[in-house]
Amino acid sequence: MEPTKRGRVRVEPTAKRVRVYAEGLPVADTTRALLVWEGPYYPTYYFPVEDVRMDALKATGETRHSPSRGDAPVHDVAGRPGAALVHGDDAPLAEIRGHVRFEWDAMDNWFEEDEEVFVHARDPYTRVDVLASSRHVRIEVGGVTVADSRGPRILFETGLPPRYYLPKTDVRLDLLRPSETVTRCPYKGRAEYWSVGEDEPGRDLVWSYPTPLPESQKIAGLVAFYDEKVDVYVDGVLQPRPKTKFS
């Protein structure tokens, strides 16, 4: 199948084996999944009905409408309410006819081949490069220098500004307080956070991946800041704050 588009939706096949679990049950297992970009940032998986445990799905009698993907009956999955859409032969986008879309967060586990994937499907067009650098990076928060390093590692990720990961020995750890916030990234893994000071503007400005996924091992244990919310000087030059979804 050649990649196709309808409006802002892009569809293309993937050769990966993809599985999804709910309540310990493999509700879908396929080597014929479709990657569907419903929005601009990342794709989701659509499964052929032949590769879905349809006995685990129960129609609710409701439908959900999308201007590009049409009306699809809503199904509960293993008791999870409204967790799947089944696109029939009347779907305006021919490629998704006879396919099932699961709500990512409603499922317990997702696997690409035998590796578990978190947050969302990996975008085959997203690349992560981590490069050692000798640039001088200094971070200020509210006019106070919180980090100063001449040995950063710079993470370049498609669609995002460069992130400067710094050794903890180059960071004013005494100014950081641990946060309960934890996030996951399908490319980097599980991140833990710190805030700078007690005020709300300093909340969750700093993060680290203690045990990142293999492709991001070079940032293990290093610390990064939201460039959108702090002042970053690189080789003495103040960098403009990038405008992203994290701003």
Side-chain angles (χ1 to χ4, degrees), residues 113-163:
E113 296 297 336
D114 291 344
E115 292 190 8
E116 190 166 6
V117 183
F118 303 95
V119 186
H120 58 74
R122 291 170 173 160
D123 188 333
Y125 301 104
T126 292
R127 180 182 174 93
V128 175
D129 291 308
V130 181
L131 303 179
S133 176
S134 57
R135 297 197 198 189
H136 180 200
V137 177
R138 186 168 64 86
I139 309 291
E140 284 190 4
V141 178
V144 176
T145 297
V146 180
D148 192 329
S149 179
R150 294 181 182 273
R153 288 185 177 172
I154 307 177
L155 186 145
F156 299 91
E157 182 174 347
T158 305
L160 289 175
R163 298 297 188 191

Side-chain angles (χ1 to χ4, degrees), residues 169-236:
T169 50
D170 294 338
V171 177
R172 286 283 306 275
L173 299 178
D174 59 307
L175 299 179
L176 308 186
R177 56 185 178 87
S179 168
E180 294 182 356
T181 299
V182 171
T183 62
R184 290 184 181 272
C185 169
Y187 313 106
K188 298 184 288 293
R190 179 183 181 276
E192 56 187 34
Y193 285 74
W194 293 266
S195 298
V196 180
E198 300 293 334
D199 298 332
E200 182 62 24
R203 185 172 181 269
D204 292 345
L205 290 182
V206 190
W207 73 88
S208 179
Y209 291 92
T211 55
L213 296 174
E215 55 265 43
S216 299
Q217 279 297 315
K218 290 194 284 185
I219 62 169
L222 303 182
V223 170
F225 292 76
Y226 275 117
D227 294 10
E228 296 89 338
K229 302 176 181 180
V230 301
D231 292 324
V232 180
Y233 292 83
V234 178
D235 293 332

